[in-house]
Amino acid sequence: ILATQAISEYIKLREMQNKDKRLSHQVTQKRRSDAERLELVEKIFVNCERDLEATKRREEVELRLKESEALASQLRVLLSKSNKEVSELHGLIQQLKGPIRVLVKLRPCDSGSKEGIRAVGDRTLEIKTSGRPRKYFFERVFDVEASQGEVFKEIESSIQATLDGQRTSILLYGQTGSGKTYTMTGRKDDAGILPRTLSSLLSSLSKHKMTNSSFSIFLSVIEVYNESLRDLLTEDTGERVPEPKVIPTESGVRIMPLTETCLTHERQIEEILGRVNEARVTEATQLNDKSSRSHCIYKIRFGRKGGILTLVDLAGSETVSETAKDFKGKKETCSINKSLSTLGRVLRLLKEQRTTGHSYHLPLRDSKLTRILSDCLDEQSYTTVILTLRTEEQCLGQAKESVNV
């Protein structure tokens, strides 16, 4: 009986021990679960704090963004107003300078030659004669030391006038070998007025994008050779390309077919100049080893207000005896002189018409050159002639003819 009781008590004790173990395990599990829950709550709390801070920061950023947008809008209004005021000032400057301006650029003497022409100040040109030197007065005279940048700065207002919707033209006129093409295109390390103009326009393009203006730049290049037209930007596919035709319109003229290139970056400038230089007609003459035998017309059109800027590298003015070596050369020279003579008559009549107020018939249809330029040779347009001169004594005769034109 005692043994049975002892065994029964032992069993009860073991059951109580097992029960205690189970309870202890449950307590441990519960503590562990509670710890995990507490850790999760702490993480949730930390995440909530982070989300709250992020929300505050986002609200601050959104507030600053709204303030920045409002400030940017005000700046755009001010920039637009400033651009308008600048445009008005440029227009006033252009009016004060006059509708037709003549600038002179002197080419340095060749080594071993005597100087027969020199600049006296910024507006006076002095040419040797058999007696006392004769003086001529112009809007600006650039001496032999003048840089390409100085020439460009003088015509920069014409470019701005074009951006404001005006039609302007810049004509380079002078004797063969006087530096017209160099003044127009220059070199890589000394850019001429054309690449400087295109770079300036591309800079203006980025500025106009800031003011959300619709602004695009389109360039076309036409060559006039022996009264025939040629598109210098068309792709050479080996097939015969039809000659472009000059078609009169209400606003001027239109040339068809004609390739127009949309300019978007400065890399295009060097590429286009290279293509034009290769395609343009040149020939060795008695005055120059590589003389341009054609007129090269660069037309820059804008997709905003309809302004047109025309830059023309005219063929060299010369006599048949000075340059022509054969029948082809004589024909070229006669064609060049005829078109230059017509252009000179048009400019003289246009200047007289604006000075006196009388109306004259402009012989624009007498040559292909003046027909193409008819949209920038009227009472509403502005023209700048850059007269390039050789300064050697042996070139005095042609220089005097150029000055008197």
Side-chain angles (χ1 to χ4, degrees), residues 14 23 71 92 110 114 184 193 196 199 212 224 228-229 270 320 332 346 364 387 397 401:
R14 293 290 295 176
L23 288 173
L71 181 60
L92 180 60
D110 291 337
K114 290 184 178 180
M184 177 66 80
I193 60 175
R196 288 174 188 267
S199 296
N212 296 322
V224 183
S228 298
L229 304 186
E270 186 177 342
V320 174
E332 288 174 350
V346 169
L364 296 170
L387 177 61
E401 289 186 14

Side-chain angles (χ1 to χ4, degrees), residues 201-382:
L201 292 174
L202 288 172
S203 176
S204 297
L205 175 63
S206 61
K207 291 178 183 178
H208 280 83
K209 282 182 177 178
M210 291 175 60
T211 56
N212 296 322
S213 296
S214 174
F215 184 77
S216 301
I217 305 170
F218 299 95
L219 172 67
S220 58
V221 186
I222 311 121
E223 179 185 54
V224 183
Y225 174 68
N226 282 347
E227 289 300 294
S228 298
L229 304 186
R230 192 157 66 100
D231 180 0
L232 294 186
L233 293 185
T234 188
E235 294 291 338
D236 186 7
T237 59
E239 299 179 0
R240 185 177 178 277
V241 179
E243 180 183 342
K245 303 295 182 184
V246 183
I247 303 171
T249 64
E250 291 183 2
S251 58
V253 293
R254 188 176 180 184
I255 302 169
M256 294 183 63
L258 184 64
T259 305
E260 272 193 330
T261 299
C262 182
L263 295 179
T264 55
H265 53 80
E266 293 207 17
R267 292 191 303 273
Q268 291 175 281
I269 299 174
E270 186 177 342
E271 177 190 347
I272 288 171
L273 291 180
R275 287 172 59 186
V276 170
N277 288 336
E278 288 181 7
R280 191 175 176 188
V281 176
T282 60
E283 194 75 39
T285 68
Q286 296 179 30
L287 295 177
N288 198 357
D289 291 336
K290 189 177 180 181
S291 174
S292 301
R293 310 304 294 157
S294 62
H295 309 299
C296 191
I297 303 169
Y298 301 88
K299 274 190 174 287
I300 304 170
R301 182 176 64 84
F302 306 99
R304 188 164 60 106
K305 295 183 179 179
I308 298 175
L309 174 61
T310 306
L311 295 96
V312 187
D313 180 6
L314 295 166
S317 62
E318 64 245 335
T319 62
V320 174
S321 60
E322 287 178 322
T323 57
K325 294 181 177 181
D326 51 23
F327 176 77
K328 178 185 175 184
K330 291 179 181 179
K331 182 180 178 182
E332 288 174 350
T333 303
C334 290
S335 177
I336 291 169
N337 289 341
K338 178 187 175 185
S339 57
L340 291 177
S341 176
T342 303
L343 177 61
R345 289 202 310 274
V346 169
L347 291 175
R348 283 194 298 272
L349 289 173
L350 194 58
K351 189 169 186 177
E352 190 174 343
Q353 183 171 287
R354 290 172 174 177
T355 304
T356 63
H358 297 302
S359 180
Y360 297 98
H361 168 69
L362 303 178
L364 296 170
R365 298 181 62 85
D366 286 4
S367 77
K368 287 284 183 67
L369 175 64
T370 49
R371 286 185 67 186
I372 294 172
L373 299 179
S374 60
D375 58 354
C376 58
L377 294 175
D378 56 26
E379 293 184 356
Q380 287 76 41
S381 61
Y382 295 92

Side-chain angles (χ1 to χ4, degrees), residues 93-203:
I93 291 171
Q94 197 71 9
Q95 289 177 13
L96 292 173
K97 286 183 175 180
I100 299 178
R101 304 176 63 223
V102 180
L103 317 178
V104 176
K105 185 174 184 291
L106 300 180
R107 174 187 161 174
C109 251
D110 291 337
S111 58
S113 299
K114 290 184 178 180
E115 186 179 71
I117 303 173
R118 69 187 185 97
V120 182
D122 290 340
R123 299 172 64 89
T124 307
L125 184 72
E126 187 177 271
I127 299 180
K128 284 185 179 181
T129 63
S130 56
R132 294 179 61 184
R134 185 171 179 183
K135 293 183 178 180
Y136 297 85
F137 301 95
F138 297 92
E139 279 79 5
R140 180 68 191 273
V141 177
F142 298 97
D143 63 17
V144 294
E145 300 295 331
S147 66
Q148 299 271 53
E150 290 178 73
V151 179
F152 176 73
K153 188 176 180 180
E154 185 66 28
I155 64 168
E156 202 167 6
S157 59
S158 298
I159 299 168
Q160 183 60 46
T162 309
L163 290 173
D164 298 331
Q166 297 290 339
R167 289 173 295 174
T168 62
S169 59
I170 300 169
L171 314 177
L172 270 68
Y173 176 86
Q175 181 186 9
T176 296
S178 59
K180 296 182 301 300
T181 301
Y182 181 78
T183 303
M184 177 66 80
T185 58
R187 298 190 308 258
K188 264 188 177 182
D189 59 340
D190 190 21
I193 60 175
L194 176 63
R196 288 174 188 267
T197 297
L198 295 177
S199 296
S200 175
L201 292 174
L202 288 172
S203 176

